[in-house]
Amino acid sequence: MKGFGLFVKTLAANTARLNSLDAHTGRLTLVLGNESADLDSMVSSLALAYALSPTISAPPIPIINTNRSDMTLRPESTLLLRTTLQANDSGIDALTFIDDFDLTRVVSYGRKHGLDVWLVDHNAPASRQTELEPFVRGIVDHHVDENRCPQAERQIELVGSCATLVAERLRNTLGSVEPELAKMLVAPILIDTSELSSTARRATDKDIEMVSWLVPQVEWAWPSANPVSTDSAVADQESSDEVESLDHVSSTHELYKILDKLKGKVSHLSARDLLRKDYKQWTVGSPAWTVGISSISYRLQKWIKRDSRKQIKKAVEKWVDEQKLDVALVMTHGKAKQGKGGVKVYGRDLIVAFGQSVNEEQQRRVLDGLQRSELLGLGPFFEDQDTGPVFFNQTRTESSRKQVFPAIKAVIESLSI
């Protein structure tokens, strides 16, 4: 197999290749992350494309499934990928984003010359990319199986991070990976499992096993000779305006703290940017409902303090209209102080909003179904739930979008019974 460094050097030609299809006749292979384009999805698409490369004559093309300009909303991903790619004399400019080429033209090319799509970190094409469904060749994912794409080779396991499954594939085929690839893979596993925290209840035995395999392969920086704690060192790094590289990182804890801190820096974003930063959309049920779920690393009480309840409701309603949704779920999560001077505690909240096409009876049944779900543990956020978007506390804090989507899907599908 070509080394990871050589694979990275092929990335810069991919965008031009997709924009000059008339000059090609060979079969194309795309490796597509999910549309939320979080750290796990980006890393997994790159690493899976590398893992597949020895079996395919032309290098697989990893696709970052968001617009190039939206990388500014993801500083943790920018930092990790920049560090990884610079170690191989490349950069983020070499990556291919979903708006760098015409996906419809690629599909047309595929009908004539052949197209294989590997889905990573999701197991069915997004509602706006369903034209890819007949071309899905393989799936590597850690979400509940939507039972689509029956023709695809599939590896779907409910582990904490999709990067865990890609790492396992690389271990089974290569035995070891380069230091920069090991660091790139271990990062999203740490982020998605809250540093393998037992209290977060997201890490599985396989996540722990893959971290144990990856960590010794990372070239960690030597710890400072000064007798200072790891948390103090991390705080010093975080106090700077921008961390330029992760080359200085000396432990998994330090890596996690820096990236997690960057991921949580969202208070400067507009309400619309918060809603679109980590967003997924599906078509569910018959008749079809368009469902959108935003995940926001910002506790609802902080957001209300910044923008007010009224302004948040207006922003969510505008988002529902803009995306033409039947129902929107806005998941907020993070740490917030419990009372004046209290300790910071991790928690989750949920906002549910409906499009104009959903009648009052349907709204009532959806809200009732969500409130009955033991996976969520919803309770009222406000004593007075007035008209418009409904605000909830979510007591089952371990339930992320991986659990919330199946819950809303089941409720919507029950409406047609």
Side-chain angles (χ1 to χ4, degrees), residues 154-170:
R154 59 215 300 124
Q155 180 184 9
I156 300 176
E157 298 180 41
L158 302 183
V159 294
S161 173
C162 191
T164 290
L165 302 178
V166 180
E168 181 184 43
R169 180 178 286 249
L170 287 164

Side-chain angles (χ1 to χ4, degrees), residues 31-34 41 44-45 48 118-122 140-141 162 166:
V31 181
L32 185 68
N34 72 45
S41 189
S44 295
S45 63
L48 181 59
W118 281 75
L119 302 180
V120 64
D121 203 20
H122 61 315
V140 179
D141 185 37
C162 191
V166 180

Side-chain angles (χ1 to χ4, degrees), residues 79 183 186-187 189-191 193-197 211 215 218 220-221 223 228-238 246 248-262 335:
L79 177 60
K183 184 186 287 185
V186 81
I189 304 175
L190 296 173
I191 290 294
T193 64
S194 298
E195 204 178 3
L196 303 178
S197 165
V211 168
V215 167
V218 178
W220 302 103
V228 93
S229 72
T230 300
D231 286 336
S232 298
V234 170
D236 289 342
Q237 288 291 339
E238 292 168 353
L246 292 170
H248 66 277
V249 168
S250 61
S251 68
T252 55
H253 180 64
E254 192 177 350
L255 177 65
Y256 170 76
K257 293 291 284 186
I258 290 172
L259 294 177
D260 188 55
K261 183 78 171 181
L262 283 173
K335 290 185 177 181

